[in-house]
């Protein structure tokens, strides 16, 4: 069950929505400790930079503090580990992926009254610094480096191919519910890779609370049900996907799966 409605999610700090979601996914998630640790980091940042009145210098100071002195960094070796998606592990290890590192940095930036926003760029989560409508900077939260629109175009081409169109809306600030939906997808993929199917199912249920009836998410939930030996539930989800997306290349293969799943005896869990 989604812990907040969409309006609540979009009004609270991104990191608070993430904490609530992670507590729903992992029943042992230490939400209170995470909130306390974030408060401590914010207080330390405020004390370190309290005498700096120039906001640009304050931002540079926060980048230096976060990435150099505290040692937060992108995890190059185990990028797809669930440890990089869950905030407690990110705070413990000081390693993460763009969205988890970026959410923490955004929280700190807001405490320092810096004009930082989140951007759900197609290739990854970004941070946007809005000094003015004509003076905008972009930060890659994976390493804390500023990136130009030229570099971002290169990322997009590398992700989607040489004919990818760079649309201005790709750099718009995005609402928390959209960012959290993408974050849940990352968490779910990591948990599936680690065969933590019950937690992955909770991710899928939360994603469907954000986007009810999404056929691709329901297809993925069907796969999770299948791994949990809930075969008839898997068949129902696959059938929904086939009905909604009959032209999808996966539909024909799933039709065979559905027939086989319905032939299995019903198991009560």
């Amino acid at each position: 069950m989604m812990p907040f409605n969409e309006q609540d999610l979009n009004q609270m700090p991104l990191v608070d929505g993430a904490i609530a979601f992670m507590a729903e996914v992992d029943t042992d998630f230490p939400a209170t400790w995470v909130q306390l640790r974030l408060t401590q980091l914010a207080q330390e940042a405020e004390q370190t930079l309290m005498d700096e009145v120039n906001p640009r210098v304050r931002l540079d100071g926060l980048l230096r503090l976060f990435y150099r002195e505290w040692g937060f960094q992108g995890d190059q070796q185990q990028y797809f580990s669930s440890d990089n998606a869950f905030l407690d592990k990110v705070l413990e290890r000081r390693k993460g992926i763009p969205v988890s590192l970026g959410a923490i940095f955004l929280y700190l930036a807001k405490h320092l009254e810096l004009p930082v926003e989140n951007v759900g760029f197609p290739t990854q989560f970004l941070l946007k610094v809005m000094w003015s409508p004509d003076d905008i900077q972009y930060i890659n939260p994976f390493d804390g480096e500023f990136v130009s629109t030229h570099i971002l175009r290169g990322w997009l081409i590398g992700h989607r191919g040489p004919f990818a169109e760079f649309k201005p809306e790709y750099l718009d600030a995005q609402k928390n519910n959209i960012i959290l939906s993408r974050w849940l997808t990352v968490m779910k993929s990591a948990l599936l890779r680690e065969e933590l199917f019950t937690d992955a199912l909770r991710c899928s249920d939360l994603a469907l609370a954000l986007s009810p009836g999404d056929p691709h998410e329901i297809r993925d939930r069907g796969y999770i049900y299948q791994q949990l030996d809930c075969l008839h539930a898997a068949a129902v989800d696959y059938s929904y996907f086939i009905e909604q997306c009959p032209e999808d290349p996966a539909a024909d293969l799933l039709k065979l799966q559905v027939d086989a799943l319905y032939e299995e005896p019903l198991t009560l869990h």
Side-chain angles (χ1 to χ4, degrees):
M1 182 176 179
M2 193 163 74
F4 299 103
N5 62 40
E6 186 175 307
Q7 183 178 1
D8 290 337
L9 287 174
N10 291 330
Q11 290 177 344
M12 67 176 59
L14 174 64
V15 75
D16 287 351
I19 289 169
F21 275 41
M22 290 169 190
E24 291 286 322
V25 171
D26 178 3
T27 55
D28 294 323
F29 181 77
T32 301
W33 178 85
V34 170
Q35 290 168 330
L36 177 61
R37 187 70 187 114
L38 288 171
T39 299
Q40 292 171 338
L41 291 175
Q43 291 172 345
E44 186 174 340
E46 288 171 354
Q47 291 170 0
T48 302
L49 302 169
M50 64 185 301
D51 294 330
E52 188 48 70
V53 296
N54 185 311
R56 292 178 185 270
V57 178
R58 200 183 316 143
L59 176 62
D60 289 340
L62 181 59
L63 286 166
R64 181 178 62 254
L65 185 66
F66 191 76
Y67 290 97
R68 296 183 188 176
E69 296 184 28
W70 292 344
F72 283 93
Q73 60 183 301
D75 192 342
Q76 301 276 6
Q77 279 71 43
Q78 302 180 74
Y79 187 94
F80 297 104
S81 168
S82 64
D83 285 351
N84 291 323
F86 283 87
L87 287 171
D88 58 325
K89 301 301 182 183
V90 176
L91 289 166
E92 287 174 3
R93 300 165 63 244
R94 305 209 171 184
K95 290 183 179 181
I97 50 178
V99 69
S100 56
L101 294 171
I104 296 171
F105 189 91
L106 181 65
Y107 172 84
L108 299 173
K110 293 297 185 183
H111 271 268
L112 296 174
E113 299 181 350
L114 293 168
V116 182
E117 302 174 344
N118 58 48
V119 174
F121 193 69
T123 65
Q124 67 159 73
F125 181 86
L126 289 178
L127 296 171
K128 176 166 70 171
V129 189
M130 283 286 296
W131 301 117
S132 75
D134 298 319
D135 187 1
I136 303 172
Q137 292 178 298
Y138 301 96
I139 299 171
N140 177 7
F142 195 67
D143 56 16
E145 297 293 328
F146 290 101
V147 288
S148 66
T149 54
H150 177 75
I151 290 174
L152 295 176
R153 287 177 187 273
W155 288 2
L156 187 66
I157 289 172
H159 180 64
R160 294 187 173 177
F163 302 108
E165 180 185 0
F166 190 94
K167 299 179 181 179
E169 56 263 34
Y170 289 161
L171 298 176
D172 288 346
Q174 276 196 337
K175 294 182 177 180
N176 289 349
N177 65 302
I178 298 174
I179 297 296
L180 288 168
S181 180
R182 291 176 62 173
W183 199 337
L184 280 170
T185 297
V186 172
M187 290 167 57
K188 180 184 68 181
S189 297
L191 293 167
L192 285 173
R193 193 174 291 107
E194 295 160 17
E195 298 186 355
L196 298 172
F197 298 117
T198 300
D199 288 352
L201 180 60
R202 296 192 189 106
C203 276
S204 191
D205 286 339
L206 281 170
L208 284 167
L210 286 170
S211 301
D214 180 344
H216 291 88
E217 188 61 53
I218 288 176
R219 177 201 61 193
D220 289 355
R221 187 180 65 180
Y223 172 77
I224 299 170
Y225 277 140
Q226 189 173 0
Q227 305 313 305
L228 292 169
D229 289 328
C230 301
L231 303 184
H232 283 246
V236 170
D237 278 357
Y238 287 157
S239 297
Y240 176 86
F241 175 79
I242 294 165
E243 179 183 332
Q244 297 297 315
C245 303
E247 303 302 321
D248 189 285
D252 288 339
L253 180 60
L254 287 178
K255 288 177 184 176
L256 299 176
Q257 288 260 26
V258 168
D259 292 341
L261 291 171
Y262 275 131
E263 290 176 1
E264 294 288 334
L266 180 62
T267 301
L268 298 178
H269 290 268

